[in-house]
Amino acid sequence: MKRLAPELRKDGVELDLISLIRTILAACKDISFRVGQADLSGVLGSTLNENIQGETQKKLDILSNQLLKDMLLESGFVRAIASEEEDYIVEGEHGGRFLVAFDPLDGSSNIDVNSLTGTIFSILPVPEDKLDGTPITEQDFLQPGRNQVAAGYVMYGPSTILALTTGKGVDFYTLDKTHGSFLKTRDNIAIPEETKEFAINSSNQHKWDIPMQRYIRDILDGKAGIRGKNFNMRWIACMVGDVHRILCRGGIFTYPAHTDNPEKPNKLRLLYEANPMGMLVEQAGGLVSTGEQNILDLQPTELHERVPVILGSKQEVKICLDYHNQ
Ligand code: AFP
């Protein structure tokens, strides 16, 4: 049977993709409200559950995951989802041309201290040979980040902000809480190529490999050192917040591999964090790497895979990579 070509908007973006993104935003509006209510609606604190990665789940992790999962699988646009908070992929019953991988509430350690959190999402196409309804498997989610048709995050801060790319640059939308809609507030976000700002969790310094030790040491030497300028440091403990700052004013963010635990050297997840953030940063003119190769070219090998991440202002990331290539 001949399949109908998907309907497109004027700018070439699929109408179904737009409807799918609207579904994500409907769930995120609900999450934003609950994050804001906090203690008033009893959603702070931990549960007794652990996710597959051995991390204790917060009440808001579970709630946000459930909202996104239910709304996406009911939408008719999403065949299956993968989530940081789900052990396995979940397939819906209503068909659809897309797969969605998400981190429902990034920055969980910030929840109970009224600090920044966010939702990160990555949208992939259903592989051609599965469009006939053949069941989706984990393998279908293991597509390189380059295959993403859209990616973004919603940041729950003083305002609720969406950063979105459908492969044609990055735009910001702000949730107008009086009317309940996301309004475009900035377009064509461009990351400055050079920076004097870096983000790394310095408490892990003793665990970094030699290239990262050298790179950060030279930064910390400031104006008198080889870099010849003073740097500023920021760390939000929520990748959404750190990447948002970089999209706004440049910088470099890195979560390098740790040498103390060869079984589990990396923290950030490829499918739920590194790939969607990688697409956003590249679309805004920045660079993303593991230290060895571009994150978006990696062939994922498992659903909850973790990778080292270096991303941000092009020239600064290149300098960091020079230390890795030496
Ligand atoms: P969760 O997804 O478990 O909330 O973790 C957040 C995160 O993966 C990322 O958003 C931060 O950049 C990083 O962890 C913070 O890690 P530290 O605990 O080392 O500050």
Side-chain angles (χ1 to χ4, degrees):
M1 201 174 67
K2 193 161 175 266
R3 258 193 304 272
L4 289 177
E7 265 191 273
L8 304 181
R9 211 169 56 168
K10 254 197 250 147
D11 60 3
V13 181
E14 267 189 58
L15 287 180
D16 278 5
L17 179 58
I18 303 291
S19 304
L20 159 51
I21 292 167
R22 290 213 173 104
T23 309
I24 293 178
L25 297 185
C28 289
K29 260 194 274 181
D30 204 332
I31 298 171
S32 170
F33 177 74
R34 287 164 198 256
V35 168
Q37 286 294 96
D39 255 342
L40 296 176
S41 52
V43 292
L44 299 189
S46 298
T47 65
L48 297 176
N49 299 348
E50 278 190 356
N51 63 18
I52 195 167
Q53 297 146 90
E55 299 157 341
T56 305
Q57 292 175 305
K58 302 271 177 147
K59 287 182 195 166
L60 267 171
D61 283 327
I62 294 185
L63 208 72
S64 309
N65 183 57
Q66 197 67 45
L67 276 167
L68 280 158
K69 180 170 77 170
D70 290 350
M71 290 175 80
L72 286 173
L73 294 180
E74 281 298 314
S75 69
F77 305 112
V78 180
R79 274 289 294 285
I81 60 105
S83 162
E84 189 185 304
E85 303 301 340
E86 296 281 338
D87 295 359
Y88 309 104
I89 66 157
V90 185
E91 185 163 8
E93 294 168 352
H94 303 287
R97 304 170 56 85
F98 300 102
L99 306 174
V100 184
F102 56 84
D103 177 353
L105 206 63
D106 177 59
S108 313
S109 68
N110 283 348
I111 294 174
D112 295 343
V113 295
N114 196 24
S115 200
L116 278 189
T117 51
T119 295
I120 312 174
F121 57 91
S122 154
I123 306 179
L124 293 160
V126 169
E128 278 287 321
D129 61 337
K130 297 289 175 82
L131 285 172
D132 61 1
T134 309
I136 297 291
T137 64
E138 175 172 326
Q139 194 61 35
D140 299 319
F141 277 87
L142 305 185
Q143 306 183 36
R146 291 259 169 248
N147 284 13
Q148 294 172 107
V149 291
Y153 59 75
V154 175
M155 183 172 78
Y156 311 113
S159 51
T160 294
I161 292 183
L162 161 72
L164 176 68
T165 180
T166 54
K168 297 170 171 44
V170 178
D171 299 325
F172 288 166
Y173 300 75
T174 305
L175 176 61
D176 178 350
K177 291 183 179 168
T178 48
H179 301 103
S181 28
F182 281 88
L183 305 179
K184 194 190 276 189
T185 37
R186 285 180 63 185
D187 54 13
N188 293 320
I189 301 299
I191 301 176
E193 293 206 355
E194 293 182 11
T195 186
K196 289 181 176 177
E197 203 158 61
F198 71 106
I200 192 166
N201 184 344
S202 298
S203 64
N204 297 319
Q205 190 247 332
H206 57 287
K207 304 178 193 168
W208 303 335
D209 56 17
I210 304 289
M212 193 53 81
Q213 297 276 0
R214 287 194 181 132
Y215 170 68
I216 298 294
R217 188 197 56 207
D218 287 349
I219 275 186
L220 294 177
D221 281 346
K223 209 166 182 174
I226 191 171
R227 297 299 309 274
K229 58 181 181 181
N230 293 330
F231 278 77
N232 183 30
M233 198 201 83
R234 287 285 181 270
W235 186 251
I236 297 181
C238 167
M239 193 184 189
V240 169
D242 281 312
V243 170
H244 188 69
R245 187 187 56 254
I246 288 172
L247 289 176
C248 289
R249 67 178 189 213
I252 182 168
F253 166 94
T254 174
Y255 213 112
H258 289 172
T259 53
D260 64 324
N261 185 358
E263 300 282 292
K264 199 177 159 189
N266 300 309
K267 167 128 190 182
L268 300 181
R269 296 79 169 174
L270 177 57
L271 266 61
Y272 319 115
E273 293 170 319
N275 272 344
M277 293 310 203
M279 183 175 183
L280 283 167
V281 168
E282 252 199 29
Q283 284 290 319
L287 216 59
V288 292
S289 176
T290 60
E292 287 182 358
Q293 74 178 108
N294 189 307
I295 287 174
L296 297 176
D297 295 326
L298 286 176
Q299 172 58 55
T301 53
E302 53 180 290
L303 207 55
H304 298 289
E305 184 172 354
R306 297 169 188 250
V307 291
V309 173
I310 304 169
L311 60 79
S313 292
K314 202 176 238 169
Q315 294 308 332
E316 192 56 38
V317 172
K318 278 187 184 161
I319 292 171
C320 181
L321 295 181
D322 285 344
Y323 284 78
H324 289 76
N325 294 332
Q326 272 163 23

